[in-house]
Amino acid sequence: MAEDRMMTPADVVAKAMAGEQGDMLRDAVAMIVRELMEAEVAQLTGAARGERADGRVTHLNGYRQRAWETRVGEVDLAIPRARSGPSYFPSFLEPRRRCEQAIVAVVMEAYVNGVSTRKVDRLVEQLGIQGMSKDRVSRLCRELDEHVEQFRQRPLEGAYPYLWLDAKHVKVRDRGRVVSKALVVAYAVAEAGHREVIGLDIGEVESEAFWTEFLRGLRARGLHGLRLVVSDHHEGLKNAIVRVLDAPWQRCTVHFVRNMHGHCRPAQRGLVSAALREVFNATDRAEARRRVGDVIERLQPLASKVAELLEAAEEDLLAFFAFPPSHWSKLRSTNPLERVNREIGRRADVVGIFPNDASALRLTGALLIEQNDEWLVCRRYLSEESMRLILDAVTEPIISLPNDNEQEDHAALAA
């Protein structure tokens, strides 16, 4: 990596003159794209590397490694990171290429394994896929799996104050049967304010044991500095958060309102929604608590079950008020992630039934890698100034290694 970054034209020529022509083209491409990235970054920062300039708007902060497949072989890229302001993403990369490969791979794998339907046959025809041999399917899947696995297992660097957890059920063929499995995704906001996909897995059922293993995997990869976890209401997930992360939990207010609609008559749903919105739109926690009391009192004679459930869930619904007001609209629900979830669902609907777990992870992972790249070049999800308010509030991370609950688990296993 360092050698590719520092390669000069003279170095490439010297290697060729010495008879080391094997990688000459690859080295030349690596050198050219390095210079191109340096030029683009200089334009972004307002100054060349090491240059003192009055127009400089930011400085560099290390590199992000990424493999780039080219016709002359794989080139290891060291993509510069900006310390502040807009992030940098090379103009010559194709952010959407991997996802298209993934969906073609899923269709091809389904076809080769004999689980295709008329719908898949039409897709094959529309995509213009030719020569669907098992070797071709295996090769394409293997290349994608390597990228997805690296993405799923990469170390997590820096603090992640906010974490969202979500699950979507997909149909997978398993031992001759079509079953519904839980595809779980973890999203986070890093300390600099950018969104990031930090976890992906698939399980037989969305149980406490599965969530516990998933969260321990995140922590083992470096998840720390957690201040709040946001998700819908699932007892197994809630217990796993307490056991593994020991962080405050925010129940998704949108899911809560939808759940309350099931405990009142259709004619009352508008009233219930409006009353709950009053609570969530309060100016501070004290005002929200006062409004909760008023809403419970008003709903008790009309929808007693809603009033009872609201009283029981009060603490979990109002956890977001402990954070900066500019964050509230993003912390009180999982709605900011709905666009990504819709994209996952749209592609899962195209496939219909995944031939196995690996194909579901492959397609979803490819999509999430692309989403991650897009988030890196978008403006920050939360401003650096507002993020400092929560980072400076607590000097020690909430997560410890290991916590008391895990020590109890290890003791029980040892016994």
Side-chain angles (χ1 to χ4, degrees), residues 124-165:
V124 169
E125 182 179 351
Q126 292 169 4
L127 291 171
I129 303 173
Q130 302 293 331
M132 287 188 295
S133 67
K134 289 188 177 182
D135 288 341
R136 184 184 176 194
V137 172
S138 178
R139 183 172 62 255
L140 180 56
C141 292
R142 186 164 55 248
E143 292 173 357
L144 289 166
D145 286 344
E146 290 175 1
H147 289 295
V148 171
E149 192 61 20
Q150 288 174 4
F151 178 72
R152 292 178 60 210
Q153 302 301 329
R154 73 192 188 281
L156 301 177
E157 301 175 353
Y160 292 88
Y162 297 141
L163 174 67
W164 288 262
L165 298 168

Side-chain angles (χ1 to χ4, degrees), residues 40-52:
E40 291 180 341
V41 167
Q43 190 174 34
L44 178 71
T45 60
R49 180 179 298 278
E51 178 187 1
R52 295 181 179 273

Side-chain angles (χ1 to χ4, degrees), residues 120-276:
V120 173
D121 288 335
R122 287 196 300 271
L123 280 172
V124 169
E125 182 179 351
Q126 292 169 4
L127 291 171
I129 303 173
Q130 302 293 331
M132 287 188 295
S133 67
K134 289 188 177 182
D135 288 341
R136 184 184 176 194
V137 172
S138 178
R139 183 172 62 255
L140 180 56
C141 292
R142 186 164 55 248
E143 292 173 357
L144 289 166
D145 286 344
E146 290 175 1
H147 289 295
V148 171
E149 192 61 20
Q150 288 174 4
F151 178 72
R152 292 178 60 210
Q153 302 301 329
R154 73 192 188 281
L156 301 177
E157 301 175 353
Y160 292 88
Y162 297 141
L163 174 67
W164 288 262
L165 298 168
D166 195 25
K168 179 179 181 59
H169 285 81
V170 295
K171 294 180 180 179
V172 181
R173 192 173 295 275
D174 188 0
R175 293 185 289 274
R177 298 182 301 118
V178 176
V179 297
S180 177
K181 295 193 177 185
L183 187 70
V184 300
V185 184
Y187 309 86
V189 169
E191 55 190 344
H194 286 110
R195 281 186 289 180
E196 190 174 333
V197 180
I198 65 171
L200 169 67
D201 205 352
I202 191 169
E204 299 291 333
V205 291
E206 193 183 351
S207 63
E208 179 179 343
F210 173 69
W211 276 116
T212 299
E213 182 181 1
F214 178 72
L215 295 181
R216 283 179 177 165
L218 294 180
R219 200 181 63 180
R221 288 169 47 214
L223 177 64
H224 73 277
L226 198 57
R227 303 288 180 261
L228 185 69
V229 183
V230 186
S231 74
D232 60 1
H233 184 263
H234 185 284
E235 282 300 325
L237 172 56
K238 186 177 179 180
N239 294 338
I241 291 170
V242 173
R243 177 180 293 273
V244 181
L245 302 181
D246 193 25
W249 175 60
Q250 169 65 47
R251 181 172 179 178
C252 175
T253 58
V254 174
H255 283 87
F256 179 79
V257 172
R258 291 173 185 167
N259 292 341
M260 293 307 99
H261 287 171
H263 296 285
C264 61
R265 295 193 302 273
Q268 297 174 325
R269 290 174 183 173
L271 173 65
V272 169
S273 297
L276 293 175

Side-chain angles (χ1 to χ4, degrees), residues 273-288:
S273 297
L276 293 175
R277 278 198 300 270
E278 290 180 17
V279 174
F280 305 139
N281 292 331
T283 55
D284 55 39
R285 185 193 288 267
E287 175 67 15

Side-chain angles (χ1 to χ4, degrees), residues 310-350:
L310 174 59
E311 184 175 14
E314 178 179 352
E315 293 300 322
D316 297 330
L317 292 170
L318 305 184
F320 69 92
F321 279 107
F323 299 90
S326 60
H327 297 186
W328 290 354
S329 63
K330 297 178 172 65
L331 296 181
R332 63 192 181 198
S333 75
T334 57
N335 267 18
L337 305 171
E338 286 300 312
R339 176 181 171 275
V340 181
N341 295 336
R342 283 197 301 270
E343 286 296 305
I344 295 174
R346 185 167 67 86
R347 284 162 172 78
D349 290 342
V350 168

